[in-house]
Amino acid sequence: MPELPEVETIVRGLAPVLEGRRIASIELRRPDLRRPFPPDLRQRATGARVIAVRRRAKYGLIDTDRGDTLVFHLGMSGSWRLDPGEIGLHDHVVIETDAGRRLALNDPRRFGSLDLVETVRLEASGPFASMGPEPLGESFDGAWLAQALAGRTASVKALLLDQRIVAGLGNIYVCEALHLAGIAPGRAAGHIARPRLDRLALAVKSVLRAAIAAGGSSLRNYARPDGELGYFSAEWRVYGREGESCPGCGAPIRRRSEGGRSTFHCPRCQR
Ligand SMILES: [Zn+2]
């Protein structure tokens, strides 16, 4: 499943292809992905000039000069293919720019989405309305965590996965950040001292930046928008490493399963 670093990598790959270009055509090859495409999407996007490609949480945002934003989510298996040789069964949306570049939104499992929202209404609409700060943004820091987690008895891991507290973090990077910060995943969030929350915020940024630098990491094959198929098995510290030695202390890494999600942690380093 593409996580925030993968989406960031994809957005950075799409930007030079789309920014400043007009959308010469947009072909919807089926009526929906996870939900129906907006009925006026094609008409509103065709001929529009792309002014920016950016990311919010795990959503990619394509702003046009008509005051609209195309919002895509890659779901479980989505990717963009750049200049595909031929359009395949799972290429559900095909965009062609006025420079003759083609982008195909490929999504075999169809858990992804593509919507069109007025840019000025974006922050208040759908999933964005209740979303917390970007983990890589300036407003996400120890002070924010202290305020957001105050009095909360739920585990720090559960609350880091809560999109209202911080946007776009998934299981892998939460496990990694908690290990880097030396905080046990099950610790009651409201009982963590401020200096440790400062460390946690820095750890979140650090693991995300490292993954973005590595080109995004993923559990499955997915195409980067430069058309290259990549399998990014990142150098995770604890994720997927049950029984291996902790990079901090050498103790065996433990895995705990809850609600279908695995938590990987070091019982010695993380308190
Ligand atoms: Zn350890």
Side-chain angles (χ1 to χ4, degrees):
M1 179 188 311
E3 293 229 25
L4 185 152
E6 283 82 40
V7 181
E8 179 67 24
T9 301
I10 285 162
V11 160
R12 289 180 187 186
L14 291 174
V17 179
L18 286 173
E19 283 177 354
R21 308 311 322 185
R22 279 193 194 283
I23 295 173
S25 68
I26 177 164
E27 183 189 359
L28 306 173
R29 296 168 53 80
R30 51 175 298 118
D32 57 7
L33 286 172
R34 172 191 216 138
R35 56 179 170 269
F37 298 125
D40 56 350
L41 186 152
R42 204 168 144 264
Q43 175 238 323
R44 279 164 68 179
T46 304
R49 187 178 294 281
V50 174
I51 52 180
V53 184
R54 56 200 174 98
R55 178 190 58 75
R56 172 78 167 118
K58 288 194 250 183
Y59 291 84
L61 309 175
I62 301 170
D63 298 324
T64 78
D65 63 352
R66 291 182 182 165
D68 288 326
T69 299
L70 284 157
V71 180
F72 66 84
H73 193 281
L74 298 170
M76 305 286 288
S77 58
S79 65
W80 284 93
R81 302 205 299 138
L82 181 56
D83 298 324
E86 52 188 61
I87 299 304
L89 179 64
H90 302 299
D91 292 325
H92 305 304
V93 178
V94 180
I95 293 175
E96 187 161 349
T97 74
D98 59 354
R101 306 295 299 273
R102 273 207 306 184
L103 289 162
L105 179 57
N106 184 282
D107 190 354
R109 297 181 65 183
R110 301 203 307 264
F111 282 111
S113 59
L114 180 67
D115 293 298
L116 191 75
V117 180
E118 281 179 71
T119 308
V120 292
R121 293 183 48 241
L122 192 68
E123 284 291 310
S125 74
F128 304 107
S130 55
M131 221 176 242
E134 280 292 314
L136 290 170
E138 277 179 18
S139 56
F140 178 73
D141 57 12
W144 166 257
L145 281 176
Q147 179 199 320
L149 304 182
R152 304 291 298 267
T153 53
S155 76
V156 62
K157 188 191 172 198
L159 293 183
L160 286 178
L161 289 169
D162 182 337
Q163 303 297 299
R164 293 168 295 186
I165 289 177
V166 54
L169 282 190
N171 192 37
I172 295 174
Y173 296 101
V174 167
C175 289
E176 292 292 290
L178 286 169
H179 182 264
L180 186 58
I183 296 172
R187 179 155 297 277
H191 294 158
I192 301 171
R194 176 59 195 275
R196 303 184 77 208
L197 294 178
D198 290 337
R199 277 214 298 283
L200 178 56
L202 290 174
V204 165
K205 293 173 193 288
S206 169
V207 296
L208 291 174
R209 285 203 189 102
I212 291 166
S217 53
S218 176
L219 292 176
R220 60 178 65 239
N221 286 332
Y222 85 101
R224 287 199 298 174
D226 57 7
E228 179 189 329
L229 257 181
Y231 186 80
F232 299 105
S233 55
E235 296 289 306
W236 288 315
R237 304 164 62 85
V238 288
Y239 191 84
R241 295 187 179 276
E242 182 182 17
E244 294 180 37
S245 297
C246 165
C249 72
I253 291 161
R254 294 232 183 105
R255 180 170 73 92
R256 226 181 29 228
S257 197
E258 58 222 332
R261 253 195 197 119
S262 287
T263 298
F264 295 89
H265 68 112
C266 171
R268 198 186 289 170
C269 293
Q270 293 178 255
R271 299 284 167 185

